[in-house]
Amino acid sequence: KAGVTQTPRYLIKTRGQQVTLSCSPISGHRSVSWYQQTPGQGLQFLFEYFSETQRNKGNFPGRFSGRQFSNSRSEMNVSTLELGDSALYLCASSLAFAHEQFFGPGTRLTVL
Amino acid sequence: DQQVKQNSPSLSVQEGRISILNCDYTNSMFDYFLWYKKYPAEGPTFLISISSIKDKNEDGRFTVFLNKSAKHLSLHIVPSQPGDSAVYFCAARYYGGSQGNLIFGKGTKLSVKP
């Protein structure tokens, strides 16, 4: 069974630009969550989608948004990029009522 | 305010010995706890979990202990192997919360020396 895939793996943007990251969950998984990992803050929850609906949202500004499609694939968008948005963005998927999440390899975003 | 704390940023252990990684939490509404392992350039990998109604869960070389009164959990790896060298994250989930929202600690880097 294929794991969680994320594209692109690496991205370099400049301040003020916007970026879209993509995540394909494990087949059959309907819950997709996004996390931001930085050296200072560890992994921080961004948002969770289930059946195309945002079910939960972390404490991030409105510049961070996401969506989920009918095939459970998800995208997250960051607008008006800031230097502090440089991080590893991780996507995780899980079965509807399972406890553990399965993570993708992440997208490394660098904002210059 | 950190709700899940891993106070040791790093731990070094000799191969074959026991590794004990610790995690403290502040919120009594957490009902499920998980440990993840992360290698560089990879996403975290689920290791083992424990429900708040239990005090121990074992899976091969990995055992997680939960002390609810102390709001403390620990991961024991016995025996430790060089391949266990990675960053270990403790995570918690709110009671009644969706499984997609985990609160993570900042991780402990484990080095197992041959």
Side-chain angles (χ1 to χ4, degrees):
Chain A
K1 207 176 203 183
V4 178
T5 57
Q6 292 187 245
T7 56
R9 291 294 310 276
Y10 302 92
L11 207 47
I12 299 176
K13 293 283 187 180
T14 55
R15 278 183 299 173
Q17 287 187 309
Q18 77 163 17
V19 67
T20 299
L21 312 181
S22 181
C23 170
S24 292
I26 293 172
S27 177
H29 287 195
R30 293 165 62 193
S31 169
V32 174
S33 298
W34 289 88
Y35 295 84
Q36 181 195 65
Q37 185 185 12
T38 58
Q41 297 298 321
L43 276 97
Q44 292 190 288
F45 172 74
L46 279 156
F47 27 64
E48 180 206 2
Y49 286 87
F50 183 84
S51 293
E52 301 178 67
T53 301
Q54 188 180 86
R55 189 157 67 170
N56 232 320
K57 190 177 192 306
N59 191 24
F60 277 81
R63 300 185 298 106
F64 292 82
S65 63
R67 59 178 175 167
Q68 186 181 33
F69 302 94
S70 58
N71 61 358
S72 293
R73 190 177 70 85
S74 177
E75 288 180 348
M76 68 162 278
N77 184 278
V78 189
S79 62
T80 321
L81 284 166
E82 300 177 359
L83 296 178
D85 297 333
S86 294
L88 180 68
Y89 289 88
L90 291 158
C91 167
S93 74
S94 61
L95 287 167
F97 300 104
H99 296 294
E100 60 267 25
Q101 293 181 298
F102 296 85
F103 284 81
T107 295
R108 172 71 63 184
L109 172 66
T110 302
V111 182
L112 303 175
Chain B
D1 183 32
Q2 264 192 282
Q3 298 186 66
V4 177
K5 298 179 186 179
Q6 294 177 257
N7 291 320
S8 299
S10 63
L11 175 67
S12 185
V13 169
Q14 207 67 32
E15 181 180 6
R17 307 293 292 268
I18 184 171
S19 294
I20 299 177
L21 297 103
N22 294 304
C23 179
D24 296 300
Y25 62 95
T26 58
N27 196 324
S28 57
M29 294 300 289
F30 288 141
D31 73 333
Y32 212 81
F33 303 90
L34 306 92
W35 283 94
Y36 283 84
K37 177 170 74 172
K38 187 178 186 301
Y39 294 117
E42 294 183 13
T45 303
F46 170 73
L47 260 181
I48 191 168
S49 61
I50 188 167
S51 163
S52 61
I53 62 173
K54 295 188 175 181
D55 54 20
K56 178 182 173 181
N57 188 26
E58 202 169 347
D59 184 3
R61 296 187 298 116
F62 301 91
T63 303
V64 56
F65 295 93
L66 175 62
N67 183 333
K68 284 178 63 179
S69 60
K71 293 192 176 68
H72 177 84
L73 67 155
S74 60
L75 174 68
H76 292 210
I77 306 173
V78 184
S80 301
Q81 299 172 354
D84 295 330
S85 297
V87 177
Y88 288 78
F89 290 96
C90 166
R93 190 192 72 180
Y94 284 106
Y95 174 76
S98 62
Q99 77 274 30
N101 178 1
L102 295 177
I103 312 298
F104 281 84
K106 293 192 177 182
T108 296
K109 185 175 182 179
L110 173 66
S111 299
V112 180
K113 301 191 184 306

